[in-house]
Amino acid sequence: MARSQAQTSVITIERFIMEQERLHPEATGELSNLLYDLCLAAKIISRQVRRAGLTDILGEIGTTNVQGEVQQKLDVFAHDTVRHSVEHTGRVCIVASEEEEQPIPVQVRDDRRSGKYVLLYDPLDGSSNIGVNVSIGTIFSIHRRNATKRGPGSLADCLQKGRAQIAAGYILYGSSTMLVYTTGQGVHGFTLDPTIGEFLLSHPDIRSPAVGQYYSVNESHWNKWAPGIQRVVGAFKNGDHGRVEAKNARYIGSLVADIHRNLMSGGVFLYPADTNAPQGKLRLLYEAAPLAFVVEQAGGAAIDGLGQDILDVAPTELHQRTPLIIGSKQDVAFASAVLAESR
Ligand code: AHG
Ligand code: MN
Ligand code: MN
């Protein structure tokens, strides 16, 4: 639904979520409220990210987060902030985070039913970039619980294929703080106006160019890659007999930042398996799958490089890793074809 510029300039994320909910008469509002909960967490983490450098300079000036806890390492802070923003609401039955080995079943409290949703998240993505003021992010994935069960959720509720996701998205703490999400009705971007504390609709209906101008990969792993991957990256670097044009290299080392740039400008990101990491480095459930949902909804594609779409990979472990090739549709299709020829 096209909107005039005037209409989009003052649409808060709360209003947008409500309008989206109205498109589904059967909606109960629980998913909308869960998305609001994540917005609150995003604002709190954004405030802390913006102050990260100062904490050292200013030392422990008694800064506390909303739970009254003394300031912690940013990724632990982000983990706690998301968890505390959702676990008391009765909307989720279990949460799983990169920061916790086991999923955290959400106990039933003051006779609230455990919720019907499952939240999987990477509280702070790109941790190696925190101390050098480079963009970092948070990634989230929402599933519906196994309908036959009640009470706190279980690991089985977390181990669902990406194709079953109800919603997914990320927050990018970059030059501005953006929240980008999908519920399967397209991809929409919101920019935080810190002066009013609201996420405003800034990028409605994001569509990713079919052919990207960028390729993003950590080429220091070149000698550890399989020949097929070397062929694919070589083609993105130098062009390949008219099948694909040479691209510009851009690699930030924060997955959310690399994916967002490629989503907006067109590009392809690769984190292949290598001899040191035979399953790849990135995690399926709270990195690859949510980002694959967003990218596919924006017209792109995401594969594991082993013949499967990321969204069709059946998870067996909570923190399982997967190789990942994700971004502009034609670039991913080229990679898939070359890898199929190389198998
Ligand atoms: P996280 O900080 O959540 O562990 O994620 C880091 C990931 C991802 O953000 C990025 O794409 C990748 O690590 C970079 O890895 P390399 O430094 O090996 O390139
Ligand atoms: Mn990560
Ligand atoms: Mn992380």
Side-chain angles (χ1 to χ4, degrees):
M1 167 178 50
R3 297 174 190 277
S4 72
Q5 180 54 35
Q7 278 178 309
T8 54
S9 61
V10 290
I11 295 196
T12 64
I13 193 167
E14 283 76 6
R15 176 177 156 190
F16 187 88
I17 291 171
M18 200 162 35
E19 287 176 356
Q20 290 274 307
E21 181 189 314
R22 286 202 195 112
L23 300 176
H24 303 273
E26 74 288 356
T28 62
E30 283 182 270
L31 177 62
S32 296
N33 288 327
L34 177 51
L35 291 169
Y36 299 152
D37 299 337
L38 293 173
C39 284
L40 172 63
K43 294 175 192 175
I44 294 167
I45 297 168
S46 178
R47 185 198 60 175
Q48 215 62 17
V49 166
R50 303 287 169 219
R51 295 163 38 86
L54 293 174
T55 310
D56 301 340
I57 300 167
L58 300 176
E60 291 296 333
I61 47 172
T63 49
T64 61
N65 61 19
V66 288
Q67 288 83 29
E69 290 147 353
V70 172
Q71 190 150 345
Q72 305 159 317
K73 265 182 63 172
L74 213 46
D75 40 11
V76 174
F77 175 84
H79 162 78
D80 290 343
T81 299
V82 171
R83 176 179 170 185
H84 291 137
S85 297
V86 301
E87 67 182 354
H88 63 282
T89 62
R91 293 190 259 273
V92 297
C93 63
I94 194 165
V95 299
S97 158
E98 178 199 8
E99 299 300 323
E100 287 275 352
E101 191 51 39
Q102 299 303 326
I104 307 163
V106 175
Q107 302 306 325
V108 182
R109 283 193 189 160
D110 53 75
D111 79 14
R112 278 175 181 273
R113 286 182 307 110
S114 277
K116 63 183 175 188
Y117 292 113
V118 176
L119 174 66
L120 305 150
Y121 65 106
D122 177 357
L124 209 82
D125 171 71
S127 310
S128 63
N129 282 324
I130 293 176
V132 293
N133 203 19
V134 170
S135 300
I136 49 184
T138 297
I139 309 169
F140 62 89
S141 169
I142 299 172
H143 282 275
R144 199 173 276 113
R145 76 172 305 164
N146 178 329
T148 58
K149 299 275 181 57
R150 303 185 69 73
S154 67
L155 177 61
D157 290 305
C158 301
L159 299 181
Q160 300 185 53
K161 285 184 181 180
R163 200 70 71 191
Q165 289 174 102
I166 300 297
Y170 56 83
I171 297 101
L172 174 60
Y173 312 102
S175 46
S176 66
T177 294
M178 273 195 76
L179 190 152
V180 176
Y181 84 97
T182 184
T183 58
Q185 321 285 329
V187 178
H188 310 287
F190 301 80
T191 300
L192 179 64
D193 179 339
T195 64
I196 56 173
E198 290 284 3
F199 278 104
L200 302 181
L201 180 65
S202 52
H203 299 76
D205 303 320
I206 295 172
R207 299 296 296 168
S208 206
V211 178
Q213 52 181 311
Y214 300 120
Y215 77 99
S216 312
V217 68
N218 182 339
E219 295 198 47
S220 68
H221 301 309
W222 178 277
N223 293 327
K224 296 179 286 195
W225 291 335
I229 290 290
Q230 291 174 339
R231 169 103 189 278
V232 167
V233 174
F236 288 146
K237 187 204 295 267
N238 305 311
D240 184 280
H241 316 303
R243 282 177 77 182
V244 70
E245 300 294 316
K247 299 179 186 300
N248 242 337
R250 286 283 187 284
Y251 191 75
I252 299 171
S254 289
L255 180 60
V256 170
D258 280 315
I259 296 293
H260 183 74
R261 180 207 49 247
N262 291 351
L263 186 78
M264 301 306 292
S265 309
V268 54
F269 173 97
L270 308 90
Y271 208 108
D274 65 42
T275 47
N276 280 355
Q279 302 306 319
K281 171 181 184 181
L282 300 174
R283 282 51 62 109
L284 173 63
L285 283 174
Y286 44 79
E287 289 179 312
L291 295 175
F293 188 17
V294 169
V295 167
E296 277 203 8
Q297 278 288 310
I303 60 174
D304 64 2
L306 307 169
Q308 271 198 298
D309 285 356
I310 288 290
L311 293 181
D312 295 325
V313 175
T316 52
E317 288 168 31
L318 190 62
H319 300 286
Q320 80 183 56
R321 298 176 190 268
T322 177
L324 176 64
I325 301 174
I326 182 172
S328 291
K329 197 171 187 75
Q330 286 187 23
D331 296 331
V332 174
F334 168 79
S336 180
V338 169
L339 292 172
E341 291 157 15
S342 315
R343 272 191 211 106

